[in-house]
Amino acid sequence: MDEVRKNNEENLSMDEIFESMDDFSMRRGSVKEAEVYSLQPDGLLVLFDGKLDGFVPESELVHPLKEYKIGDKIKVTILKVNEEEGRSTASEIRVFRRDALKTVENKFKNNETIQGKIVAKVSSGYNVRLLNVIDAFLPGSHSGLRIDDEIPEESLDFKIIAFRRSRRGAPRIVVSLKELKEQRIKAYFDSIKEGYMITGTVESIKKFGAFVKLTNDITGLIPASEVSWDSSVRIEDVLKLGDKIEAKVIGIDREKRKISLSLKQLQKDPWDDIEERFPVGTVHNGKVKSIVPFGFFVALENGIEGLVHISEVFWGNTRKKLQEVVKVGDEVLVKVKDIDRKKRTISLSYREALGDPWDDIESRYNVGKVVEGTVVKVLPTGVIIELEEYVSGFVPLSEVSWNFVDKIEDVVKEGDTVSVQVISLDKENRRMRLSLKKATEDPWKRVAEELKVGDYVSGTITRTIKSGAIVLVDDYNVEAFLPVSQVSDKKVENIEDAINPGLKQNFKIIRLVYEPENDSRNMVVSIRQYLKDIEKRETEEALKELSSEDTSTLSLGDKLKEHLEKEDTSE
């Protein structure tokens, strides 16, 4: 192109150039159409009807220099003509400004919007460039921007709120973003109703809900409760920043300019036909969602949760904690007890789904039967034995052992597996009495068969009490009572001064009772009587021995005295 221009210049004389300029009216102020044929660092080189060139400085262009390309047609006005070089300096912006100013004025008269760009921030507002060439002012109160907001880089639509021509200088033009925004907001709110489906983009997610950008001016809120019918579903599980979504309008506050949206209402409410899908009395499988002090919640399906109250967990007065029965995430069977569709609540029963173990209790635990169980609680008054889940019985203190029990913990401990005999059953009140001792053979039966009052037995003092001592009788594993009065032929004030636990001793049975029908079994023994019997026997033997000796000149009393003296000497 430059070569063409060079050849043209060489072939044209100065007269021909002026003649050509006259032909094309190349005068200052004339408006011409030009073709871009070269982009220079500081402007454009253009051709006028392909014959003469001109230069449009960058400052006189309507658009940034980089937006032009070779071959573009633009309208310019001639600023000056360099007759020696045959080149003109032209301006695009001055032609465009006249047309643009007319456009701005018409937009103002017709109450239409116009495009522009904020170019600078000033003390009371912002300078705006309309259509790239017309300067206007945007008051801060009409900008909708906060003091620390950055100036938008993109082109915006403005409303012209003042247009006044001046005889001198440029016209005064005032624009507003706020009024245009108010119009757009009003128009949007007028266009929607509750129940409408609208689209938007998720722009932020909070614990209480998700904000959705509906337009550049309007944001709606999806409350956390409106994300899913399943209350356990979190917002983050459903929505992500930048998601394009469709939602249902469920609330409009035109005064506060708030729009409430719902995702879950795009789907059928699972509570609509709840009674048909989960009739009262039916058993269903569910998942434990949470455990609370008063029970636990079970999800029957997405959006449907019911409460198993603690009263519907256990059969009877069970001391277990809920966490010992179920854990979050467990699959459980539950029975529907009641449904309140208005309140959206379901009452469930865990125990009834399992069945009442006391319904056929007699067939499994008839009186007299010996069964195994686990010691779950040791009390001062007895022992609680669990035979199976929700079936427990009580062993009274008197039924713990055939012997005297000072501390139950010495006989059984929590966690022990033991055999017990069922001694009574009250199905109506869900009570069962058990016996630890009767699950074993009664040792007193053998005692009654083999021993009688007056017999001698050996045993060990196991402990002392205020009124006497307890003796464990050898070979029979029963305990006998040694009264303090039977410890010695001398008066005993404090039994611990006379005997100590662990002492091995022979005793005489002075009382023996075996009445199983009255549940009466006891033995009373005596050291004192035993020693008297020994002393008497020894005396009788001594007398017998003396009476056989040939000492007729002595009396029986003298013989006995002589015998005793001999024994003392020998000792």
Side-chain angles (χ1 to χ4, degrees), residues 263-298:
L263 284 181
K264 74 179 187 182
Q265 293 190 30
L266 296 177
Q267 303 170 351
K268 181 183 177 182
D269 186 348
W271 286 86
D272 285 346
D273 57 350
I274 189 70
E275 293 93 345
E276 288 75 22
R277 290 184 293 116
F278 298 98
V280 172
T282 55
V283 175
H284 301 271
N285 190 57
K287 180 178 288 188
V288 178
K289 299 296 287 185
S290 61
I291 300 174
V292 291
F294 51 84
F296 58 90
F297 288 91
V298 176

mmCIF file of all heavy atoms in Angstrom, residues 263-298:
data_model
loop_
_atom_site.group_PDB
_atom_site.id
_atom_site.type_symbol
_atom_site.label_atom_id
_atom_site.label_comp_id
_atom_site.label_asym_id
_atom_site.label_seq_id
_atom_site.Cartn_x
_atom_site.Cartn_y
_atom_site.Cartn_z
ATOM 1 N N LEU A 263 -35.502 -25.166 46.488
ATOM 2 C CA LEU A 263 -35.130 -26.279 45.609
ATOM 3 C C LEU A 263 -36.013 -27.481 45.867
ATOM 4 O O LEU A 263 -36.431 -28.174 44.951
ATOM 5 C CB LEU A 263 -33.665 -26.667 45.845
ATOM 6 C CG LEU A 263 -32.577 -25.773 45.271
ATOM 7 C CD1 LEU A 263 -31.219 -26.346 45.608
ATOM 8 C CD2 LEU A 263 -32.725 -25.644 43.763
ATOM 9 N N LYS A 264 -36.296 -27.727 47.159
ATOM 10 C CA LYS A 264 -37.024 -28.948 47.506
ATOM 11 C C LYS A 264 -38.451 -28.945 46.956
ATOM 12 O O LYS A 264 -38.997 -30.000 46.654
ATOM 13 C CB LYS A 264 -37.029 -29.152 49.019
ATOM 14 C CG LYS A 264 -37.941 -28.223 49.813
ATOM 15 C CD LYS A 264 -37.863 -28.547 51.299
ATOM 16 C CE LYS A 264 -38.879 -27.750 52.106
ATOM 17 N NZ LYS A 264 -38.774 -28.028 53.561
ATOM 18 N N GLN A 265 -39.037 -27.735 46.788
ATOM 19 C CA GLN A 265 -40.409 -27.686 46.297
ATOM 20 C C GLN A 265 -40.528 -27.932 44.798
ATOM 21 O O GLN A 265 -41.632 -27.940 44.250
ATOM 22 C CB GLN A 265 -41.060 -26.364 46.703
ATOM 23 C CG GLN A 265 -41.265 -26.253 48.207
ATOM 24 C CD GLN A 265 -42.116 -25.079 48.599
ATOM 25 O OE1 GLN A 265 -42.998 -24.646 47.857
ATOM 26 N NE2 GLN A 265 -41.874 -24.541 49.791
ATOM 27 N N LEU A 266 -39.380 -28.145 44.166
ATOM 28 C CA LEU A 266 -39.427 -28.603 42.775
ATOM 29 C C LEU A 266 -39.757 -30.090 42.725
ATOM 30 O O LEU A 266 -40.077 -30.632 41.666
ATOM 31 C CB LEU A 266 -38.076 -28.353 42.094
ATOM 32 C CG LEU A 266 -37.641 -26.889 41.938
ATOM 33 C CD1 LEU A 266 -36.264 -26.829 41.305
ATOM 34 C CD2 LEU A 266 -38.653 -26.110 41.121
ATOM 35 N N GLN A 267 -39.645 -30.743 43.893
ATOM 36 C CA GLN A 267 -39.952 -32.165 43.997
ATOM 37 C C GLN A 267 -41.218 -32.362 44.823
ATOM 38 O O GLN A 267 -41.635 -31.475 45.564
ATOM 39 C CB GLN A 267 -38.780 -32.910 44.659
ATOM 40 C CG GLN A 267 -37.457 -32.733 43.935
ATOM 41 C CD GLN A 267 -36.294 -33.271 44.750
ATOM 42 O OE1 GLN A 267 -36.446 -33.623 45.908
ATOM 43 N NE2 GLN A 267 -35.130 -33.335 44.125
ATOM 44 N N LYS A 268 -41.783 -33.545 44.732
ATOM 45 C CA LYS A 268 -43.003 -33.860 45.473
ATOM 46 C C LYS A 268 -42.715 -33.927 46.961
ATOM 47 O O LYS A 268 -41.698 -34.467 47.379
ATOM 48 C CB LYS A 268 -43.566 -35.199 44.984
ATOM 49 C CG LYS A 268 -44.846 -35.612 45.686
ATOM 50 C CD LYS A 268 -45.308 -36.969 45.196
ATOM 51 C CE LYS A 268 -46.554 -37.417 45.950
ATOM 52 N NZ LYS A 268 -47.013 -38.757 45.526
ATOM 53 N N ASP A 269 -43.605 -33.360 47.766
ATOM 54 C CA ASP A 269 -43.474 -33.410 49.216
ATOM 55 C C ASP A 269 -43.719 -34.844 49.678
ATOM 56 O O ASP A 269 -44.806 -35.392 49.504
ATOM 57 C CB ASP A 269 -44.501 -32.473 49.863
ATOM 58 C CG ASP A 269 -44.322 -32.369 51.379
ATOM 59 O OD1 ASP A 269 -43.566 -33.179 51.945
ATOM 60 O OD2 ASP A 269 -44.946 -31.472 51.980
ATOM 61 N N PRO A 270 -42.700 -35.485 50.288
ATOM 62 C CA PRO A 270 -42.867 -36.887 50.708
ATOM 63 C C PRO A 270 -43.913 -37.079 51.804
ATOM 64 O O PRO A 270 -44.317 -38.205 52.082
ATOM 65 C CB PRO A 270 -41.467 -37.261 51.207
ATOM 66 C CG PRO A 270 -40.817 -35.972 51.567
ATOM 67 C CD PRO A 270 -41.365 -34.964 50.607
ATOM 68 N N TRP A 271 -44.344 -35.969 52.429
ATOM 69 C CA TRP A 271 -45.362 -36.085 53.489
ATOM 70 C C TRP A 271 -46.786 -36.084 52.931
ATOM 71 O O TRP A 271 -47.739 -36.325 53.684
ATOM 72 C CB TRP A 271 -45.206 -34.942 54.494
ATOM 73 C CG TRP A 271 -44.021 -35.108 55.383
ATOM 74 C CD1 TRP A 271 -42.738 -34.727 55.137
ATOM 75 C CD2 TRP A 271 -44.001 -35.728 56.675
ATOM 76 N NE1 TRP A 271 -41.922 -35.068 56.177
ATOM 77 C CE2 TRP A 271 -42.664 -35.674 57.151
ATOM 78 C CE3 TRP A 271 -44.979 -36.316 57.475
ATOM 79 C CZ2 TRP A 271 -42.294 -36.185 58.391
ATOM 80 C CZ3 TRP A 271 -44.606 -36.821 58.718
ATOM 81 C CH2 TRP A 271 -43.290 -36.758 59.159
ATOM 82 N N ASP A 272 -46.936 -35.828 51.622
ATOM 83 C CA ASP A 272 -48.289 -35.739 51.056
ATOM 84 C C ASP A 272 -49.084 -37.032 51.218
ATOM 85 O O ASP A 272 -50.265 -37.013 51.554
ATOM 86 C CB ASP A 272 -48.213 -35.349 49.571
ATOM 87 C CG ASP A 272 -47.865 -33.866 49.396
ATOM 88 O OD1 ASP A 272 -47.948 -33.127 50.392
ATOM 89 O OD2 ASP A 272 -47.501 -33.471 48.280
ATOM 90 N N ASP A 273 -48.455 -38.180 50.970
ATOM 91 C CA ASP A 273 -49.156 -39.466 51.070
ATOM 92 C C ASP A 273 -48.499 -40.360 52.123
ATOM 93 O O ASP A 273 -48.374 -41.561 51.952
ATOM 94 C CB ASP A 273 -49.174 -40.154 49.711
ATOM 95 C CG ASP A 273 -47.765 -40.367 49.151
ATOM 96 O OD1 ASP A 273 -46.811 -39.813 49.727
ATOM 97 O OD2 ASP A 273 -47.637 -41.088 48.154
ATOM 98 N N ILE A 274 -48.068 -39.729 53.222
ATOM 99 C CA ILE A 274 -47.318 -40.447 54.244
ATOM 100 C C ILE A 274 -48.108 -41.596 54.846
ATOM 101 O O ILE A 274 -47.574 -42.672 55.114
ATOM 102 C CB ILE A 274 -46.847 -39.452 55.345
ATOM 103 C CG1 ILE A 274 -45.867 -40.128 56.302
ATOM 104 C CG2 ILE A 274 -48.012 -38.856 56.081
ATOM 105 C CD1 ILE A 274 -44.543 -40.421 55.706
ATOM 106 N N GLU A 275 -49.416 -41.388 55.071
ATOM 107 C CA GLU A 275 -50.224 -42.447 55.700
ATOM 108 C C GLU A 275 -50.354 -43.673 54.812
ATOM 109 O O GLU A 275 -50.471 -44.794 55.312
ATOM 110 C CB GLU A 275 -51.628 -41.927 56.051
ATOM 111 C CG GLU A 275 -51.648 -40.866 57.133
ATOM 112 C CD GLU A 275 -51.596 -39.463 56.557
ATOM 113 O OE1 GLU A 275 -51.262 -39.339 55.343
ATOM 114 O OE2 GLU A 275 -51.874 -38.500 57.299
ATOM 115 N N GLU A 276 -50.345 -43.457 53.482
ATOM 116 C CA GLU A 276 -50.473 -44.588 52.573
ATOM 117 C C GLU A 276 -49.173 -45.391 52.500
ATOM 118 O O GLU A 276 -49.185 -46.614 52.356
ATOM 119 C CB GLU A 276 -50.843 -44.111 51.162
ATOM 120 C CG GLU A 276 -52.281 -43.607 51.021
ATOM 121 C CD GLU A 276 -52.493 -42.238 51.639
ATOM 122 O OE1 GLU A 276 -51.492 -41.496 51.797
ATOM 123 O OE2 GLU A 276 -53.647 -41.907 51.993
ATOM 124 N N ARG A 277 -48.043 -44.707 52.600
ATOM 125 C CA ARG A 277 -46.760 -45.394 52.475
ATOM 126 C C ARG A 277 -46.258 -45.984 53.796
ATOM 127 O O ARG A 277 -45.514 -46.951 53.793
ATOM 128 C CB ARG A 277 -45.715 -44.434 51.894
ATOM 129 C CG ARG A 277 -45.983 -44.098 50.434
ATOM 130 C CD ARG A 277 -44.913 -43.227 49.823
ATOM 131 N NE ARG A 277 -44.895 -41.891 50.413
ATOM 132 C CZ ARG A 277 -43.891 -41.382 51.117
ATOM 133 N NH1 ARG A 277 -42.815 -42.104 51.319
ATOM 134 N NH2 ARG A 277 -43.956 -40.170 51.619
ATOM 135 N N PHE A 278 -46.675 -45.363 54.917
ATOM 136 C CA PHE A 278 -46.247 -45.855 56.228
ATOM 137 C C PHE A 278 -47.446 -45.947 57.170
ATOM 138 O O PHE A 278 -47.561 -45.168 58.131
ATOM 139 C CB PHE A 278 -45.173 -44.922 56.827
ATOM 140 C CG PHE A 278 -43.922 -44.824 56.008
ATOM 141 C CD1 PHE A 278 -43.724 -43.763 55.139
ATOM 142 C CD2 PHE A 278 -42.947 -45.804 56.087
ATOM 143 C CE1 PHE A 278 -42.577 -43.661 54.374
ATOM 144 C CE2 PHE A 278 -41.793 -45.727 55.327
ATOM 145 C CZ PHE A 278 -41.601 -44.655 54.462
ATOM 146 N N PRO A 279 -48.355 -46.884 56.910
ATOM 147 C CA PRO A 279 -49.559 -46.991 57.748
ATOM 148 C C PRO A 279 -49.202 -47.293 59.204
ATOM 149 O O PRO A 279 -48.215 -47.969 59.499
ATOM 150 C CB PRO A 279 -50.317 -48.167 57.117
ATOM 151 C CG PRO A 279 -49.745 -48.315 55.741
ATOM 152 C CD PRO A 279 -48.324 -47.888 55.842
ATOM 153 N N VAL A 280 -50.040 -46.762 60.109
ATOM 154 C CA VAL A 280 -49.849 -47.030 61.533
ATOM 155 C C VAL A 280 -49.947 -48.533 61.779
ATOM 156 O O VAL A 280 -50.834 -49.199 61.265
ATOM 157 C CB VAL A 280 -50.907 -46.272 62.371
ATOM 158 C CG1 VAL A 280 -50.837 -46.706 63.835
ATOM 159 C CG2 VAL A 280 -50.689 -44.767 62.251
ATOM 160 N N GLY A 281 -49.001 -49.050 62.548
ATOM 161 C CA GLY A 281 -48.991 -50.469 62.869
ATOM 162 C C GLY A 281 -48.036 -51.288 62.019
ATOM 163 O O GLY A 281 -47.753 -52.441 62.353
ATOM 164 N N THR A 282 -47.519 -50.691 60.939
ATOM 165 C CA THR A 282 -46.606 -51.436 60.071
ATOM 166 C C THR A 282 -45.163 -51.293 60.555
ATOM 167 O O THR A 282 -44.800 -50.321 61.214
ATOM 168 C CB THR A 282 -46.700 -50.948 58.612
ATOM 169 O OG1 THR A 282 -46.462 -49.528 58.565
ATOM 170 C CG2 THR A 282 -48.072 -51.240 58.056
ATOM 171 N N VAL A 283 -44.356 -52.289 60.215
ATOM 172 C CA VAL A 283 -42.952 -52.316 60.620
ATOM 173 C C VAL A 283 -42.085 -52.012 59.403
ATOM 174 O O VAL A 283 -42.309 -52.563 58.317
ATOM 175 C CB VAL A 283 -42.567 -53.672 61.233
ATOM 176 C CG1 VAL A 283 -41.075 -53.725 61.543
ATOM 177 C CG2 VAL A 283 -43.384 -53.929 62.495
ATOM 178 N N HIS A 284 -41.089 -51.130 59.584
ATOM 179 C CA HIS A 284 -40.233 -50.715 58.471
ATOM 180 C C HIS A 284 -38.766 -50.685 58.906
ATOM 181 O O HIS A 284 -38.459 -50.572 60.096
ATOM 182 C CB HIS A 284 -40.631 -49.316 57.974
ATOM 183 C CG HIS A 284 -42.048 -49.239 57.502
ATOM 184 N ND1 HIS A 284 -42.406 -49.498 56.206
ATOM 185 C CD2 HIS A 284 -43.187 -48.952 58.181
ATOM 186 C CE1 HIS A 284 -43.716 -49.363 56.086
ATOM 187 N NE2 HIS A 284 -44.220 -49.023 57.266
ATOM 188 N N ASN A 285 -37.914 -50.767 57.915
ATOM 189 C CA ASN A 285 -36.479 -50.658 58.156
ATOM 190 C C ASN A 285 -36.060 -49.202 58.016
ATOM 191 O O ASN A 285 -36.531 -48.498 57.119
ATOM 192 C CB ASN A 285 -35.707 -51.519 57.161
ATOM 193 C CG ASN A 285 -34.240 -51.632 57.514
ATOM 194 O OD1 ASN A 285 -33.909 -52.071 58.605
ATOM 195 N ND2 ASN A 285 -33.363 -51.238 56.610
ATOM 196 N N GLY A 286 -35.195 -48.734 58.911
ATOM 197 C CA GLY A 286 -34.726 -47.354 58.850
ATOM 198 C C GLY A 286 -33.301 -47.243 59.331
ATOM 199 O O GLY A 286 -32.683 -48.220 59.744
ATOM 200 N N LYS A 287 -32.765 -46.018 59.282
ATOM 201 C CA LYS A 287 -31.382 -45.776 59.704
ATOM 202 C C LYS A 287 -31.378 -44.747 60.824
ATOM 203 O O LYS A 287 -32.035 -43.709 60.734
ATOM 204 C CB LYS A 287 -30.549 -45.266 58.533
ATOM 205 C CG LYS A 287 -29.085 -44.990 58.895
ATOM 206 C CD LYS A 287 -28.283 -44.526 57.691
ATOM 207 C CE LYS A 287 -28.026 -45.646 56.710
ATOM 208 N NZ LYS A 287 -27.089 -45.241 55.627
ATOM 209 N N VAL A 288 -30.625 -45.049 61.895
ATOM 210 C CA VAL A 288 -30.518 -44.134 63.031
ATOM 211 C C VAL A 288 -29.752 -42.883 62.579
ATOM 212 O O VAL A 288 -28.612 -42.959 62.143
ATOM 213 C CB VAL A 288 -29.795 -44.807 64.215
ATOM 214 C CG1 VAL A 288 -29.641 -43.810 65.371
ATOM 215 C CG2 VAL A 288 -30.557 -46.042 64.676
ATOM 216 N N LYS A 289 -30.409 -41.710 62.680
ATOM 217 C CA LYS A 289 -29.807 -40.458 62.237
ATOM 218 C C LYS A 289 -29.146 -39.689 63.383
ATOM 219 O O LYS A 289 -28.111 -39.061 63.200
ATOM 220 C CB LYS A 289 -30.859 -39.561 61.574
ATOM 221 C CG LYS A 289 -31.511 -40.173 60.348
ATOM 222 C CD LYS A 289 -30.512 -40.396 59.236
ATOM 223 C CE LYS A 289 -30.095 -39.096 58.584
ATOM 224 N NZ LYS A 289 -29.220 -39.319 57.419
ATOM 225 N N SER A 290 -29.784 -39.724 64.565
ATOM 226 C CA SER A 290 -29.211 -39.008 65.705
ATOM 227 C C SER A 290 -29.777 -39.579 66.995
ATOM 228 O O SER A 290 -30.869 -40.161 67.006
ATOM 229 C CB SER A 290 -29.510 -37.501 65.623
ATOM 230 O OG SER A 290 -30.903 -37.262 65.638
ATOM 231 N N ILE A 291 -29.000 -39.407 68.078
ATOM 232 C CA ILE A 291 -29.401 -39.886 69.402
ATOM 233 C C ILE A 291 -29.469 -38.682 70.332
ATOM 234 O O ILE A 291 -28.544 -37.887 70.408
ATOM 235 C CB ILE A 291 -28.408 -40.932 69.940
ATOM 236 C CG1 ILE A 291 -28.338 -42.132 68.987
ATOM 237 C CG2 ILE A 291 -28.818 -41.399 71.335
ATOM 238 C CD1 ILE A 291 -27.269 -43.149 69.357
ATOM 239 N N VAL A 292 -30.596 -38.553 71.028
ATOM 240 C CA VAL A 292 -30.817 -37.440 71.957
ATOM 241 C C VAL A 292 -31.166 -38.017 73.323
ATOM 242 O O VAL A 292 -31.455 -39.210 73.438
ATOM 243 C CB VAL A 292 -31.941 -36.516 71.439
ATOM 244 C CG1 VAL A 292 -31.501 -35.775 70.189
ATOM 245 C CG2 VAL A 292 -33.209 -37.299 71.142
ATOM 246 N N PRO A 293 -31.146 -37.185 74.385
ATOM 247 C CA PRO A 293 -31.427 -37.724 75.725
ATOM 248 C C PRO A 293 -32.782 -38.403 75.851
ATOM 249 O O PRO A 293 -32.942 -39.327 76.650
ATOM 250 C CB PRO A 293 -31.342 -36.481 76.613
ATOM 251 C CG PRO A 293 -30.431 -35.552 75.888
ATOM 252 C CD PRO A 293 -30.713 -35.780 74.434
ATOM 253 N N PHE A 294 -33.767 -37.980 75.044
ATOM 254 C CA PHE A 294 -35.120 -38.525 75.189
ATOM 255 C C PHE A 294 -35.453 -39.595 74.149
ATOM 256 O O PHE A 294 -36.592 -40.056 74.061
ATOM 257 C CB PHE A 294 -36.158 -37.402 75.111
ATOM 258 C CG PHE A 294 -36.000 -36.506 73.912
ATOM 259 C CD1 PHE A 294 -36.548 -36.845 72.684
ATOM 260 C CD2 PHE A 294 -35.293 -35.322 74.013
ATOM 261 C CE1 PHE A 294 -36.394 -36.030 71.584
ATOM 262 C CE2 PHE A 294 -35.133 -34.488 72.918
ATOM 263 C CZ PHE A 294 -35.694 -34.846 71.694
ATOM 264 N N GLY A 295 -34.484 -40.033 73.362
ATOM 265 C CA GLY A 295 -34.740 -41.084 72.370
ATOM 266 C C GLY A 295 -33.769 -41.000 71.205
ATOM 267 O O GLY A 295 -32.674 -40.451 71.321
ATOM 268 N N PHE A 296 -34.196 -41.517 70.050
ATOM 269 C CA PHE A 296 -33.352 -41.385 68.851
ATOM 270 C C PHE A 296 -34.236 -41.277 67.610
ATOM 271 O O PHE A 296 -35.371 -41.769 67.585
ATOM 272 C CB PHE A 296 -32.353 -42.537 68.720
ATOM 273 C CG PHE A 296 -32.956 -43.921 68.652
ATOM 274 C CD1 PHE A 296 -33.297 -44.494 67.435
ATOM 275 C CD2 PHE A 296 -33.154 -44.659 69.808
ATOM 276 C CE1 PHE A 296 -33.824 -45.767 67.366
ATOM 277 C CE2 PHE A 296 -33.687 -45.937 69.755
ATOM 278 C CZ PHE A 296 -34.029 -46.496 68.531
ATOM 279 N N PHE A 297 -33.694 -40.579 66.593
ATOM 280 C CA PHE A 297 -34.435 -40.344 65.353
ATOM 281 C C PHE A 297 -34.014 -41.365 64.298
ATOM 282 O O PHE A 297 -32.833 -41.690 64.167
ATOM 283 C CB PHE A 297 -34.199 -38.925 64.835
ATOM 284 C CG PHE A 297 -34.873 -37.857 65.655
ATOM 285 C CD1 PHE A 297 -34.219 -37.242 66.714
ATOM 286 C CD2 PHE A 297 -36.175 -37.496 65.377
ATOM 287 C CE1 PHE A 297 -34.834 -36.276 67.478
ATOM 288 C CE2 PHE A 297 -36.811 -36.516 66.121
ATOM 289 C CZ PHE A 297 -36.148 -35.904 67.188
ATOM 290 N N VAL A 298 -35.015 -41.829 63.555
ATOM 291 C CA VAL A 298 -34.780 -42.837 62.521
ATOM 292 C C VAL A 298 -35.301 -42.303 61.188
ATOM 293 O O VAL A 298 -36.436 -41.836 61.097
ATOM 294 C CB VAL A 298 -35.493 -44.162 62.864
ATOM 295 C CG1 VAL A 298 -35.321 -45.167 61.727
ATOM 296 C CG2 VAL A 298 -34.941 -44.737 64.167
#
